[in-house]
Amino acid sequence: MRDFYGVTLANPLMLGTAQYPSPAVLEAAFRASGAAVATVSLRREAGQGQGFWQILKGLGVPLLPNTAGCHSAREAITTAQMARELFETNWIKLEVIGHADTLQPDPFGLLEATETLAADGFEVFPYTTEDQILAARLLDAGAKVLMPWGAPIGSGLGLNNRYGLRSLRAAFPDVPMVIDAGLGLPSHAADALEMGFDAVLLNTAVAQAGDPVAMARAFALAVQAGALARQADPMAPRDMAQPSTPVLGKAWL
Amino acid sequence: MRIEVNGAAQDITGPTLADALAELGWTQARVATALNGDFIPKTARSQTRLKPGDRLEVLAPMQGG
């Protein structure tokens, strides 16, 4: 497994901490998932942040703070600087959102913020699209990890552009990549790993499931299956049928 | 003086950002601060002087995806 800024993860699952029915369910789901990274955010202190920090410490995994909700490079840069101090990590899941309905990345703001933050010692995980040109620019700007979307955040649609994602994976074979956003089912996560992505990041699919703990376990099994399948070198698909049972020796009836 | 703290008007007396946080009860809290859109590191809070109309953001760890 490729490492993320020098950190080798115990398994290829990153899990968000938002939208669970209660803190107890969050903790139980997190344990059931075996996730190796927890994503977190920063919001105005309204009395709940300090207790949440204690829960995070109890999870015992590296934290990946995000810049969710930032619509400009400047906002994202300031948020990243605050996150670095608050969470004591150089990791930043860099989101620069371009449109409120689709929550798709603003490629121009994303590139600008990546350049600034990478130069300032941040280890940037840019939330990006499957666009190869943008990927190359982000890598030039100092990102050493890419986080292409599967589908719009919270949509649960899975891998929306399989051709684009496969091409991106093939174009940068040595770059660690995480499929971030849009996964709704464990099969989507397995799909991403079978395609050669190094990890998946999800939140809503677990937190908003009827039984988040059971769904967390299902994702744990799916990423294990997907990663193992990738290592096992899957067969190439073909358009025509080919008998699996030998033709030679068939009786003349 | 009157400043804006997390979007709401607040009257504070202390001249510095560190004083303001103490007045608001956040001295011990795990928070990060930004003044008028710029990050102010913890180490700079006691040297950062406030002026009326300043916009102070005080952020804490929160759930995120």
Side-chain angles (χ1 to χ4, degrees):
Chain A
M1 190 169 159
R2 298 173 187 87
D3 68 71
F4 299 93
Y5 293 103
V7 176
T8 303
L9 302 183
N11 73 63
L13 184 59
M14 303 184 180
L15 189 60
T17 54
Q19 298 184 310
Y20 292 83
S22 71
V25 174
L26 158 64
E27 289 180 283
F30 216 92
R31 289 211 174 82
S33 76
V37 169
T39 58
V40 291
S41 74
L42 308 79
R43 288 292 180 263
R44 287 170 167 173
E45 171 60 318
Q48 288 157 7
Q50 310 307 307
F52 182 58
W53 174 247
Q54 296 306 319
I55 292 175
L56 290 179
K57 284 204 297 190
L59 297 179
V61 295
L63 301 179
L64 177 57
N66 68 30
T67 63
C70 292
H71 283 254
S72 69
R74 178 181 150 80
E75 249 187 309
I77 290 164
T78 302
T79 303
Q81 290 166 333
M82 296 172 88
R84 176 158 66 178
E85 183 181 88
L86 201 57
F87 296 106
E88 298 170 18
T89 177
N90 287 325
W91 282 14
I92 190 76
K93 178 188 161 188
L94 185 60
E95 295 184 38
V96 183
I97 299 299
H99 193 280
D101 290 339
T102 60
L103 298 181
Q104 67 191 95
D106 169 353
F108 308 99
L110 180 66
L111 182 59
E112 183 188 340
T114 298
E115 265 169 2
T116 304
L117 291 171
D120 190 21
F122 282 88
E123 295 171 328
V124 181
F125 293 64
Y127 165 60
T128 184
T129 67
E130 63 274 15
D131 189 298
Q132 279 185 42
I133 311 305
L134 176 56
R137 296 282 188 275
L138 291 168
L139 296 169
D140 288 347
K144 293 185 168 59
V145 171
L146 296 174
M147 295 188 105
W149 64 352
I153 295 171
S155 68
L157 292 170
L159 305 183
N160 228 6
N161 180 353
R162 298 176 56 80
Y163 163 77
L165 289 170
R166 206 165 34 233
S167 302
L168 179 69
R169 178 67 283 179
F172 304 98
D174 300 324
V175 176
M177 289 192 209
V178 185
I179 293 288
D180 173 22
L183 304 187
L185 289 168
S187 52
H188 299 155
D191 194 7
L193 288 152
E194 288 162 10
M195 282 173 69
F197 289 95
D198 301 283
V200 292
L201 195 169
L202 54 113
N203 189 155
T204 312
V206 167
Q208 296 285 293
D211 183 342
V213 180
M215 191 58 86
R217 178 80 184 126
F219 270 99
L221 295 169
V223 296
Q224 202 184 341
L228 189 58
R230 178 65 182 185
Q231 284 168 26
D233 189 15
M235 65 167 279
R238 49 180 159 246
D239 289 334
M240 297 297 289
Q242 182 171 315
S244 47
T245 303
V247 177
L248 195 69
K250 185 187 173 297
W252 186 263
L253 302 171
Chain B
M1 77 184 101
R2 177 159 289 196
I3 64 167
E4 202 178 282
V5 180
N6 287 349
Q10 284 272 358
D11 287 311
I12 53 130
T13 50
T16 71
L17 176 48
D19 296 327
L21 287 181
E23 275 182 66
L24 295 162
W26 286 327
T27 303
Q28 301 300 322
R30 191 169 195 93
V31 291
T33 50
L35 191 62
N36 302 320
D38 292 321
F39 170 56
I40 306 292
K42 200 171 183 176
T43 50
R45 286 176 193 163
S46 56
Q47 296 96 56
T48 303
R49 298 184 74 82
L50 299 174
K51 58 182 188 313
D54 273 350
R55 287 184 302 108
L56 174 62
E57 292 284 347
V58 183
L59 303 191
M62 203 57 64
Q63 292 83 352

